Amino acid sequence: MYEWILPSLSEILAENQSSVAECSPAKADRQWRVSLAATEHLLLNTLAGGSRNITQGLVLAAPAPLFSQPKLTQSLQTVTFTAKPFNPLALMPFQMPDAMPAADYINASVNEEIAPHESVLPLLPADPLGAEQFCLVFTDKFRLVLVLATHKNGKKTFSFSFELEVVQQAWRSLGARVMLANPEFFARLDALVQQYSPVAPDCRVVLEFSQLLLQELTEVEETRDSLLGTGEEALEQGSRVFPNTSLREAAPTTSLSTSAQSPNPDVELLQAFAHEVRTPLTTIRTMTRLLLKRRDLDGSVINRLKIIDHECTEQIDRMELLFKAAELETTASAKSSKTQLTPMSLDQVLQQSIPRWEQAAHRRNLTLNVILPQQLPTVVSNPTMLDQVLSGLIENFTRSLPAGSHIQVQVIPAGDQLKLQLSPQFRCKDSNKAATPGTPPIRKALGQLLMFQPETGTISLNIAATKHLFQAIGGKLIVRQRPHYGEVLTIFLPLEVSNKHKSGTKS
């Protein structure tokens, strides 16, 4: 017996599986995150040979888009289901002028910053599917459904399936909901689903997914073991990285399961807060980008929508950093990003990031100057996270400086590492007097990971959490307080092995 007139996805999977055990929310969330990571890697591997300009798959997700890799966002059509007290489609109908076919509208984009493959569909308020996070993937090579359900008793269940009939039942259940909410769009969405004809799941695809799952789980265990370390030195080092986490309780003489079952409430609260803020912002951004695709908008409206899009993106990035920092601080669920480190062009990241840094400085009446070497070597890091972590660091750095200050960002080689240094330069109206830094901002600890600046109302990651983020992407952050300079931040990133040899040869 279903809870509603239509079955939820968790009910469909429960009917087709021998047992789906309820577990604690933390454990189910970990299963969901690990499985999503494996799915993302599987999609990257299976879509590797295709062109980015051609749509190679369809993803139905809730309550927000799940994949952020540029290659996936460009290659996959994404439809997001969200439970809202109003119908968001009233603000952005799918009907378009006759001059613009519906198919063209779905794939249109205003500029490179607007995601080309995003749509939003509502769920009715009484629909129990609103309490589920899910992901349906349709490609030429496989179909997959993943569901994380929250039950009324507070427990959660996670399940997934590659079986054609199960995925088809899940789609029929979602399709019926689309028919209720937006009958005209159902035909288009059904046509998209049918483009990826059902094929029996290739055992090699399922095997690869299983291997990716094991890899993700193994990395979690390795990360936990490396954090625990051995001996007093490792314990003391861990205490410096996790100042409010007692690693001694997780020593071999104590049961690890006991520690894993008692997560820090600050970390859990931060994870929940980041999720609750990020989800509606993602929906607002998606709605805004759909509005920007319309051709009948006034220029002033377009500019305001772009401002909304920018502000949402900035806050979503902040929430993702907070969530990642909280995830790294949980011993049992920490997943080291070092497993995803790859040689990357820092030049490309800086070209995209520097204009945003300059805008952040300009908004606070600051100036920013970036000094780069003639040729930037290849570094080893996580491209997506490096951009987010650097931008977040500079954003917080600008908030701590008085108006009229100047920020110098200098990038120079330093042996087998690349050094990126942020230093403030304070201006003085009297040219005969040396400029002196203003009063350092007051920073109050807010739980284990955050700090609060009363003067500005700013909440940001504390230094220890920020350092841990840089460690996760293969780097190192050093913070020094220097006379006449104020707070100076120095980031070190490892060079690619081939670049190390080249630098050694040149010297």
XYZ file of all heavy atoms in Angstrom, residues 115-208:
743
model
N 24.209 28.035 -17.480
C 24.201 26.591 -17.723
C 23.169 26.265 -18.791
O 22.016 26.687 -18.700
C 23.883 25.845 -16.429
N 23.540 25.523 -19.827
C 22.666 25.326 -20.965
C 21.613 24.244 -20.785
O 20.689 24.161 -21.558
C 23.644 24.937 -22.079
C 24.767 24.276 -21.366
C 24.876 24.949 -20.033
N 21.737 23.376 -19.794
C 20.859 22.209 -19.729
C 20.186 22.102 -18.361
O 20.374 21.124 -17.659
C 21.661 20.931 -20.008
C 22.391 20.962 -21.309
N 21.755 21.172 -22.501
C 23.689 20.809 -21.609
C 22.641 21.137 -23.491
N 23.818 20.925 -22.968
N 19.425 23.115 -17.962
C 18.785 23.063 -16.664
C 17.295 23.356 -16.794
O 16.893 24.261 -17.511
C 19.418 24.070 -15.698
C 20.857 23.734 -15.340
C 21.431 24.729 -14.351
O 20.749 25.716 -14.059
O 22.547 24.508 -13.883
N 16.467 22.577 -16.100
C 15.031 22.794 -16.042
C 14.571 22.467 -14.634
O 15.205 21.677 -13.939
C 14.299 21.916 -17.062
O 14.775 22.149 -18.367
N 13.455 23.082 -14.217
C 12.922 22.849 -12.876
C 11.459 22.459 -12.995
O 10.700 23.077 -13.742
C 13.050 24.108 -11.994
C 12.386 23.870 -10.642
C 14.498 24.480 -11.796
N 11.063 21.424 -12.268
C 9.670 20.989 -12.226
C 9.235 20.890 -10.768
O 10.012 20.484 -9.902
C 9.508 19.631 -12.909
C 9.667 19.626 -14.440
C 9.639 18.203 -14.957
C 8.579 20.446 -15.096
N 7.973 21.265 -10.481
C 7.514 21.262 -9.089
C 6.934 19.916 -8.669
O 6.473 19.129 -9.493
C 6.424 22.332 -9.094
C 5.831 22.215 -10.464
C 6.967 21.837 -11.392
N 6.952 19.665 -7.367
C 6.234 18.544 -6.766
C 5.094 19.118 -5.937
O 5.238 20.187 -5.333
C 7.166 17.709 -5.874
C 8.313 16.969 -6.563
C 9.249 16.363 -5.518
C 7.791 15.891 -7.496
N 3.978 18.411 -5.884
C 2.852 18.885 -5.099
C 3.195 18.838 -3.604
O 3.935 17.955 -3.160
C 1.621 18.025 -5.386
C 1.100 18.089 -6.838
C -0.060 17.129 -7.014
C 0.698 19.510 -7.195
N 2.662 19.767 -2.822
C 3.014 19.827 -1.384
C 2.748 18.527 -0.627
O 3.481 18.179 0.283
C 2.127 20.966 -0.865
C 1.866 21.825 -2.062
C 1.796 20.879 -3.229
N 1.698 17.783 -1.014
C 1.352 16.557 -0.284
C 2.167 15.349 -0.739
O 2.052 14.264 -0.140
C -0.135 16.256 -0.450
N 2.970 15.514 -1.757
C 3.712 14.384 -2.329
C 4.844 13.960 -1.408
O 5.742 14.748 -1.100
C 4.271 14.799 -3.691
C 4.768 13.607 -4.499
O 5.005 12.543 -3.907
O 4.937 13.766 -5.728
N 4.857 12.707 -0.932
C 5.951 12.237 -0.059
C 7.299 12.196 -0.768
O 8.328 12.079 -0.113
C 5.499 10.836 0.357
C 4.527 10.404 -0.695
C 3.842 11.653 -1.156
N 7.301 12.285 -2.102
C 8.576 12.310 -2.831
C 9.396 13.541 -2.466
O 10.602 13.569 -2.665
C 8.311 12.285 -4.343
C 9.515 12.019 -5.250
C 10.099 10.643 -4.972
C 9.128 12.150 -6.718
N 8.728 14.565 -1.916
C 9.451 15.756 -1.484
C 10.421 15.489 -0.356
O 11.324 16.292 -0.102
N 10.262 14.350 0.338
C 11.175 13.987 1.437
C 12.290 13.065 0.953
O 13.016 12.506 1.772
C 10.399 13.316 2.565
N 12.430 12.907 -0.369
C 13.458 12.019 -0.907
C 14.433 12.784 -1.785
O 14.047 13.712 -2.498
C 12.797 10.895 -1.729
C 11.917 9.997 -0.904
C 11.338 8.831 -1.700
O 11.613 8.733 -2.919
O 10.609 8.014 -1.102
N 15.701 12.398 -1.683
C 16.706 12.854 -2.634
C 16.923 11.711 -3.619
O 17.096 10.562 -3.210
C 18.022 13.190 -1.927
C 17.918 14.374 -0.969
C 19.205 14.579 -0.195
O 19.275 14.322 0.992
N 20.228 15.046 -0.880
N 16.906 12.028 -4.914
C 17.048 10.943 -5.880
C 17.816 11.402 -7.106
O 18.000 12.601 -7.355
C 15.682 10.384 -6.290
C 14.765 11.374 -6.958
C 14.883 11.670 -8.311
C 13.758 12.002 -6.233
C 14.030 12.559 -8.934
C 12.903 12.899 -6.844
C 13.040 13.182 -8.202
N 18.248 10.421 -7.868
C 18.991 10.666 -9.099
C 18.688 9.542 -10.079
O 18.946 8.372 -9.783
C 20.497 10.742 -8.808
S 21.530 10.903 -10.283
N 18.080 9.884 -11.211
C 17.859 8.938 -12.297
C 18.773 9.320 -13.449
O 18.782 10.485 -13.876
C 16.404 8.963 -12.778
C 15.453 7.947 -12.137
C 15.092 8.404 -10.742
C 14.191 7.778 -12.977
N 19.545 8.371 -13.932
C 20.501 8.627 -15.010
C 20.099 7.800 -16.225
O 19.872 6.583 -16.115
C 21.933 8.265 -14.577
C 22.915 8.512 -15.729
C 22.339 9.067 -13.352
N 20.004 8.462 -17.382
C 19.701 7.790 -18.641
C 20.822 8.099 -19.634
O 21.055 9.271 -19.968
C 18.368 8.277 -19.231
C 17.174 8.037 -18.359
C 16.788 8.979 -17.404
C 16.427 6.883 -18.466
C 15.687 8.781 -16.603
C 15.318 6.659 -17.664
C 14.948 7.612 -16.724
N 21.514 7.068 -20.097
C 22.526 7.223 -21.143
C 22.374 6.072 -22.134
O 21.566 5.166 -21.927
C 23.960 7.220 -20.579
O 24.292 5.894 -20.129
C 24.126 8.194 -19.422
N 23.157 6.118 -23.200
C 23.110 5.034 -24.184
C 23.667 3.732 -23.630
O 23.365 2.648 -24.139
C 23.910 5.429 -25.437
C 23.211 6.518 -26.228
O 21.978 6.572 -26.169
O 23.905 7.320 -26.879
N 24.485 3.818 -22.564
C 25.176 2.631 -22.063
C 24.548 2.047 -20.794
O 24.724 0.866 -20.508
C 26.645 2.954 -21.804
C 27.402 3.314 -23.077
C 28.876 3.534 -22.796
C 29.633 3.854 -24.089
N 31.076 4.081 -23.859
N 23.851 2.857 -20.032
C 23.234 2.322 -18.822
C 22.154 3.267 -18.311
O 22.087 4.443 -18.671
C 24.279 2.084 -17.723
C 24.868 3.349 -17.142
C 24.303 3.955 -16.022
C 25.987 3.940 -17.711
C 24.834 5.119 -15.487
C 26.533 5.100 -17.180
C 25.963 5.682 -16.069
N 21.288 2.693 -17.446
C 20.297 3.457 -16.690
C 20.505 3.131 -15.222
O 20.805 1.985 -14.870
C 18.879 3.088 -17.117
C 18.497 3.569 -18.514
C 17.056 3.196 -18.837
N 16.579 3.886 -20.031
C 15.299 3.971 -20.379
N 14.381 3.399 -19.605
N 14.931 4.610 -21.471
N 20.313 4.136 -14.375
C 20.594 3.951 -12.942
C 19.665 4.836 -12.130
O 19.361 5.967 -12.523
C 22.058 4.310 -12.643
C 22.490 4.378 -11.182
C 22.377 3.004 -10.506
C 23.928 4.902 -11.084
N 19.197 4.321 -11.001
C 18.402 5.108 -10.068
C 19.020 4.980 -8.678
O 19.389 3.886 -8.247
C 16.920 4.652 -10.054
C 16.781 3.173 -9.738
C 16.123 5.483 -9.053
N 19.169 6.121 -7.995
C 19.657 6.169 -6.613
C 18.659 6.986 -5.796
O 18.197 8.039 -6.247
C 21.039 6.813 -6.515
C 22.165 6.244 -7.366
C 22.323 7.060 -8.650
C 23.485 6.254 -6.602
N 18.351 6.523 -4.595
C 17.344 7.191 -3.767
C 17.807 7.223 -2.313
O 18.226 6.197 -1.758
C 15.972 6.476 -3.835
C 14.933 7.256 -3.034
C 15.514 6.312 -5.269
N 17.711 8.399 -1.699
C 17.925 8.566 -0.260
C 16.614 9.077 0.322
O 16.182 10.192 0.011
C 19.057 9.559 0.007
C 19.309 9.914 1.478
C 19.802 8.700 2.250
C 20.298 11.064 1.601
N 15.966 8.259 1.152
C 14.644 8.597 1.689
C 14.733 8.883 3.180
O 15.441 8.194 3.920
C 13.671 7.456 1.438
N 14.002 9.904 3.610
C 13.887 10.237 5.026
C 12.496 9.838 5.504
O 11.491 10.252 4.921
C 14.083 11.748 5.262
O 15.360 12.138 4.751
C 14.016 12.076 6.742
N 12.444 9.031 6.551
C 11.171 8.508 7.035
C 10.664 9.326 8.223
O 11.405 10.109 8.831
C 11.318 7.038 7.414
C 11.796 6.186 6.274
N 10.977 5.809 5.234
C 13.033 5.678 5.983
C 11.674 5.096 4.366
N 12.916 4.998 4.800
N 9.389 9.133 8.546
C 8.763 9.938 9.603
C 9.391 9.691 10.966
O 9.333 10.555 11.843
C 7.268 9.628 9.648
C 6.521 10.101 8.404
C 5.036 9.769 8.477
C 4.310 10.269 7.229
N 2.861 9.943 7.254
N 9.979 8.508 11.164
C 10.614 8.210 12.452
C 12.028 8.778 12.571
O 12.726 8.527 13.552
C 10.651 6.692 12.685
C 11.453 5.952 11.611
O 12.026 6.572 10.715
N 11.483 4.624 11.712
N 12.465 9.531 11.549
C 13.792 10.136 11.583
C 14.878 9.287 10.955
O 15.981 9.771 10.709
N 14.587 8.009 10.713
C 15.565 7.130 10.071
C 15.627 7.413 8.574
O 14.738 8.039 7.987
C 15.185 5.666 10.298
C 15.181 5.243 11.758
C 16.590 5.128 12.312
C 16.590 4.544 13.718
N 17.973 4.401 14.249
N 16.707 6.941 7.944
C 16.874 7.099 6.507
C 17.219 5.760 5.868
O 17.757 4.869 6.534
C 17.982 8.115 6.194
C 17.629 9.554 6.508
C 18.714 10.508 5.988
C 18.335 11.957 6.230
N 19.331 12.897 5.653
N 16.922 5.639 4.586
C 17.327 4.460 3.821
C 17.926 4.918 2.502
O 17.468 5.896 1.905
C 16.125 3.529 3.526
O 15.094 4.278 2.862
C 15.582 2.927 4.793
N 18.940 4.203 2.063
C 19.537 4.474 0.753
C 19.496 3.190 -0.068
O 19.766 2.098 0.441
C 20.986 4.941 0.885
C 21.700 4.979 -0.440
C 21.408 5.966 -1.372
C 22.620 3.992 -0.786
C 22.029 5.983 -2.615
C 23.254 4.005 -2.015
C 22.958 5.001 -2.936
N 19.156 3.322 -1.351
C 19.129 2.160 -2.236
C 19.383 2.618 -3.667
O 19.192 3.791 -3.999
C 17.782 1.428 -2.130
O 16.702 2.341 -2.288
N 19.830 1.689 -4.503
C 20.062 2.005 -5.911
C 19.835 0.751 -6.743
O 19.811 -0.379 -6.221
C 21.476 2.550 -6.144
C 22.571 1.535 -5.972
C 23.031 0.783 -7.043
C 23.163 1.330 -4.723
C 24.041 -0.153 -6.890
C 24.174 0.400 -4.548
C 24.617 -0.345 -5.644
N 19.665 0.934 -8.064
C 19.426 -0.207 -8.939
C 19.776 0.144 -10.381
O 19.524 1.258 -10.846
C 17.957 -0.639 -8.867
O 17.717 -1.727 -9.746
N 20.374 -0.848 -11.076
C 20.632 -0.762 -12.511
C 19.561 -1.504 -13.316
O 19.595 -1.475 -14.543
C 22.000 -1.378 -12.846
C 23.169 -0.481 -12.560
C 23.807 -0.510 -11.326
C 23.651 0.388 -13.534
C 24.900 0.302 -11.069
C 24.743 1.202 -13.282
C 25.371 1.164 -12.056
N 18.642 -2.201 -12.647
C 17.679 -3.042 -13.347
C 16.760 -2.191 -14.214
O 16.204 -1.182 -13.762
C 16.863 -3.835 -12.340
C 17.672 -4.874 -11.583
C 16.794 -5.703 -10.670
O 15.667 -6.039 -11.100
O 17.216 -5.987 -9.540
N 16.571 -2.634 -15.459
C 15.777 -1.856 -16.412
C 14.354 -1.645 -15.922
O 13.819 -0.534 -16.011
C 15.762 -2.571 -17.770
C 17.059 -2.546 -18.583
C 16.862 -3.288 -19.886
C 17.490 -1.112 -18.849
N 13.723 -2.696 -15.420
C 12.328 -2.594 -15.000
C 12.179 -1.646 -13.816
O 11.214 -0.873 -13.737
C 11.789 -3.982 -14.645
C 10.316 -3.980 -14.240
C 9.408 -3.383 -15.304
O 9.724 -3.494 -16.520
O 8.375 -2.790 -14.929
N 13.132 -1.687 -12.888
C 13.069 -0.805 -11.720
C 13.225 0.656 -12.144
O 12.466 1.532 -11.702
C 14.158 -1.192 -10.695
C 14.152 -0.211 -9.521
C 13.944 -2.611 -10.190
N 14.201 0.927 -13.004
C 14.404 2.301 -13.480
C 13.183 2.762 -14.271
O 12.744 3.907 -14.152
C 15.679 2.391 -14.334
C 15.860 3.812 -14.861
C 16.906 1.986 -13.524
N 12.600 1.852 -15.071
C 11.427 2.217 -15.854
C 10.242 2.526 -14.947
O 9.482 3.478 -15.198
C 11.077 1.073 -16.819
C 9.989 1.415 -17.828
C 10.390 2.525 -18.788
O 11.570 2.801 -18.979
N 9.405 3.181 -19.379
N 10.067 1.750 -13.874
C 8.998 2.041 -12.915
C 9.222 3.396 -12.245
O 8.266 4.153 -12.026
C 8.933 0.944 -11.857
C 8.376 -0.388 -12.348
C 8.338 -1.424 -11.244
O 8.206 -1.096 -10.075
N 8.477 -2.688 -11.614
N 10.472 3.690 -11.925
C 10.791 4.980 -11.311
C 10.449 6.121 -12.264
O 9.878 7.144 -11.852
C 12.264 5.026 -10.916
N 10.781 5.948 -13.548
C 10.461 6.991 -14.515
C 8.940 7.142 -14.686
O 8.418 8.254 -14.771
C 11.115 6.709 -15.863
C 10.422 7.426 -17.009
C 9.877 6.872 -18.110
C 10.199 8.830 -17.124
N 9.311 7.828 -18.912
C 9.484 9.052 -18.334
C 10.503 9.925 -16.319
C 9.104 10.315 -18.754
C 10.108 11.190 -16.743
C 9.425 11.378 -17.946
N 8.200 6.012 -14.731
C 6.748 6.099 -14.867
C 6.134 6.858 -13.687
O 5.194 7.637 -13.854
C 6.143 4.698 -14.976
C 6.339 4.047 -16.336
C 5.340 2.906 -16.539
N 5.615 1.794 -15.648
C 6.343 0.731 -15.970
N 6.884 0.648 -17.181
N 6.534 -0.248 -15.116
N 6.677 6.626 -12.496
C 6.183 7.333 -11.316
C 6.470 8.831 -11.423
O 5.600 9.662 -11.125
C 6.829 6.754 -10.053
O 6.387 7.430 -8.897
N 7.677 9.187 -11.848
C 8.001 10.605 -12.026
C 7.205 11.202 -13.178
O 6.730 12.350 -13.102
C 9.501 10.761 -12.294
C 10.441 10.649 -11.104
C 11.884 10.819 -11.562
C 10.115 11.701 -10.048
N 7.076 10.446 -14.286
C 6.337 10.946 -15.434
C 4.897 11.267 -15.095
O 4.337 12.260 -15.580
N 4.271 10.451 -14.251
C 2.901 10.725 -13.825
C 2.822 12.031 -13.049
O 1.850 12.794 -13.178
C 2.383 9.563 -12.974
N 3.848 12.314 -12.257
C 3.874 13.572 -11.510
C 4.048 14.767 -12.453
O 3.461 15.823 -12.236
C 5.008 13.531 -10.480
C 4.732 12.600 -9.304
C 5.969 12.394 -8.449
N 5.651 11.816 -7.154
C 5.527 10.528 -6.908
N 5.691 9.669 -7.898
N 5.227 10.091 -5.697
N 4.897 14.595 -13.478
C 5.061 15.669 -14.454
C 3.744 15.927 -15.172
O 3.364 17.074 -15.426
C 6.168 15.310 -15.471
C 6.305 16.408 -16.523
C 7.504 15.116 -14.756
N 3.004 14.851 -15.487
C 1.711 14.987 -16.145
C 0.736 15.785 -15.280
O -0.032 16.622 -15.780
C 1.134 13.597 -16.424
C -0.201 13.611 -17.144
S -0.065 14.157 -18.854
C 0.627 12.691 -19.597
N 0.785 15.573 -13.975
C -0.088 16.324 -13.073
C 0.286 17.800 -13.010
O -0.586 18.675 -12.990
C -0.026 15.716 -11.659
C -0.724 14.369 -11.434
C -0.395 13.849 -10.038
C -2.226 14.517 -11.604
N 1.589 18.080 -12.965
C 2.052 19.449 -12.752
C 2.152 20.242 -14.043
O 1.866 21.438 -14.069
C 3.416 19.437 -12.043
N 2.565 19.573 -15.133
C 2.804 20.288 -16.385
C 2.615 19.320 -17.556
O 3.579 18.783 -18.088
C 4.223 20.870 -16.393
C 4.395 21.917 -17.474
O 3.878 21.772 -18.572
N 5.129 22.960 -17.153
N 1.356 19.092 -17.967
C 1.090 18.090 -19.011
C 1.822 18.376 -20.320
O 2.243 17.438 -21.001
C -0.436 18.178 -19.194
C -0.946 18.807 -17.937
C 0.136 19.723 -17.463
N 1.954 19.659 -20.671
C 2.571 19.989 -21.946
C 4.050 19.620 -21.975
O 4.589 19.261 -23.025
C 2.393 21.483 -22.247
C 0.937 21.889 -22.414
C 0.794 23.352 -22.692
O 1.830 24.027 -22.845
O -0.351 23.835 -22.754
N 4.704 19.724 -20.839
C 6.126 19.408 -20.809
C 6.380 17.911 -20.754
O 7.466 17.447 -21.088
C 6.790 20.093 -19.613
C 8.283 19.932 -19.572
C 9.078 20.469 -20.567
C 8.911 19.235 -18.548
C 10.457 20.321 -20.548
C 10.283 19.073 -18.516
C 11.057 19.634 -19.521
N 5.372 17.140 -20.308
C 5.569 15.696 -20.172
C 5.987 15.064 -21.495
O 6.879 14.209 -21.537
C 4.297 15.027 -19.655
C 4.345 13.528 -19.722
C 5.113 12.796 -18.821
C 3.661 12.834 -20.715
C 5.189 11.420 -18.896
C 3.730 11.461 -20.799
C 4.496 10.753 -19.886
N 5.323 15.460 -22.596
C 5.633 14.858 -23.893
C 7.090 15.104 -24.275
O 7.767 14.221 -24.799
C 4.697 15.411 -24.966
N 7.588 16.290 -24.001
C 8.988 16.608 -24.339
C 9.946 15.792 -23.470
O 10.950 15.270 -23.960
C 9.249 18.098 -24.138
C 8.264 18.998 -24.871
C 8.549 20.438 -24.532
N 7.375 21.280 -24.820
C 7.292 22.546 -24.483
N 8.290 23.120 -23.843
N 6.218 23.249 -24.773
N 9.627 15.716 -22.169
C 10.508 14.979 -21.267
C 10.489 13.494 -21.590
O 11.530 12.823 -21.576
C 10.087 15.223 -19.822
C 11.031 14.690 -18.738
C 12.440 15.238 -18.922
C 10.512 15.054 -17.356
N 9.309 12.963 -21.904
C 9.211 11.546 -22.262
C 10.008 11.258 -23.535
O 10.656 10.213 -23.644
C 7.746 11.165 -22.461
C 7.573 9.670 -22.687
O 8.018 8.881 -21.832
O 7.031 9.290 -23.741
N 9.975 12.209 -24.490
C 10.760 12.031 -25.715
C 12.253 11.992 -25.410
O 13.011 11.224 -26.013
C 10.447 13.156 -26.695
N 12.678 12.814 -24.441
C 14.087 12.803 -24.049
C 14.468 11.456 -23.444
O 15.535 10.900 -23.737
C 14.365 13.928 -23.041
C 14.452 15.353 -23.575
C 14.575 16.340 -22.428
C 15.627 15.498 -24.520
N 13.592 10.920 -22.585
C 13.873 9.627 -21.957
C 13.969 8.532 -23.025
O 14.863 7.674 -22.984
C 12.783 9.282 -20.924
C 12.961 7.853 -20.413
C 12.827 10.266 -19.755
N 13.058 8.580 -23.996
C 13.032 7.539 -25.020
C 14.240 7.598 -25.956
O 14.536 6.623 -26.651
C 11.735 7.636 -25.846
C 10.470 7.470 -25.021
C 10.497 6.235 -24.135
O 10.954 5.174 -24.548
N 10.018 6.383 -22.894
N 14.912 8.750 -26.006
C 16.131 8.841 -26.829
C 17.187 7.849 -26.368
O 18.016 7.399 -27.163
C 16.704 10.261 -26.770
C 15.921 11.286 -27.560
C 16.559 12.663 -27.472
O 17.694 12.802 -27.035
N 15.811 13.678 -27.873
N 17.153 7.521 -25.079
C 18.131 6.591 -24.516
C 17.414 5.269 -24.280
O 16.913 4.983 -23.191
C 18.733 7.168 -23.237
C 19.262 8.562 -23.458
C 18.517 9.676 -23.070
C 20.476 8.772 -24.103
C 18.986 10.955 -23.312
C 20.945 10.056 -24.351
C 20.190 11.143 -23.949
O 20.643 12.407 -24.203
N 17.334 4.502 -25.369
C 16.537 3.277 -25.354
C 17.049 2.314 -24.288
O 18.259 2.219 -24.038
C 16.606 2.601 -26.726
O 17.951 2.351 -27.088
N 16.124 1.602 -23.642
C 16.542 0.663 -22.586
C 17.475 -0.419 -23.126
O 17.193 -1.045 -24.150
C 15.213 0.059 -22.118
C 14.171 1.030 -22.554
C 14.672 1.640 -23.818
N 18.566 -0.592 -22.458
C 19.502 -1.663 -22.806
C 19.810 -2.447 -21.537
O 19.887 -1.877 -20.450
C 20.818 -1.099 -23.410
C 20.568 -0.492 -24.769
C 21.445 -0.051 -22.484
N 19.950 -3.741 -21.698
C 20.283 -4.571 -20.538
C 21.595 -4.087 -19.936
O 22.541 -3.806 -20.666
C 20.403 -6.030 -20.958
N 21.657 -3.934 -18.614
C 22.878 -3.409 -17.994
C 24.080 -4.294 -18.285
O 24.066 -5.496 -18.008
C 22.542 -3.396 -16.492
C 21.392 -4.335 -16.343
C 20.631 -4.287 -17.624
N 25.088 -3.720 -18.904
C 26.328 -4.433 -19.198
C 27.026 -4.764 -17.887
O 27.214 -3.886 -17.031
C 27.221 -3.558 -20.080
C 28.408 -4.328 -20.648
O 28.909 -5.224 -19.951
O 28.822 -4.021 -21.779
N 27.395 -6.012 -17.721
C 28.041 -6.427 -16.473
C 29.332 -5.652 -16.231
O 29.732 -5.420 -15.083
C 28.322 -7.922 -16.484
S 29.444 -8.464 -17.786
N 29.986 -5.204 -17.322
C 31.216 -4.437 -17.162
C 30.938 -3.068 -16.552
O 31.736 -2.546 -15.764
C 31.915 -4.289 -18.513
C 32.519 -5.589 -19.043
C 33.044 -5.430 -20.443
N 31.963 -5.132 -21.398
C 32.139 -4.989 -22.700
N 33.352 -5.108 -23.224
N 31.113 -4.724 -23.497
N 29.786 -2.461 -16.914
C 29.416 -1.169 -16.332
C 29.113 -1.326 -14.851
O 29.570 -0.543 -14.013
C 28.206 -0.567 -17.080
C 27.725 0.701 -16.370
C 28.567 -0.252 -18.522
N 28.332 -2.352 -14.518
C 28.001 -2.595 -13.111
C 29.261 -2.926 -12.317
O 29.436 -2.470 -11.173
C 26.976 -3.739 -12.991
C 26.635 -4.000 -11.529
C 25.716 -3.412 -13.783
N 30.179 -3.689 -12.920
C 31.435 -4.027 -12.253
C 32.276 -2.776 -12.026
O 32.857 -2.596 -10.945
C 32.209 -5.039 -13.094
C 33.584 -5.460 -12.557
C 33.449 -6.110 -11.187
C 34.282 -6.399 -13.536
N 32.321 -1.895 -13.033
C 33.087 -0.650 -12.876
C 32.502 0.211 -11.764
O 33.234 0.792 -10.962
C 33.095 0.126 -14.194
C 33.924 1.406 -14.134
C 33.932 2.168 -15.450
O 33.275 1.718 -16.413
O 34.582 3.231 -15.512
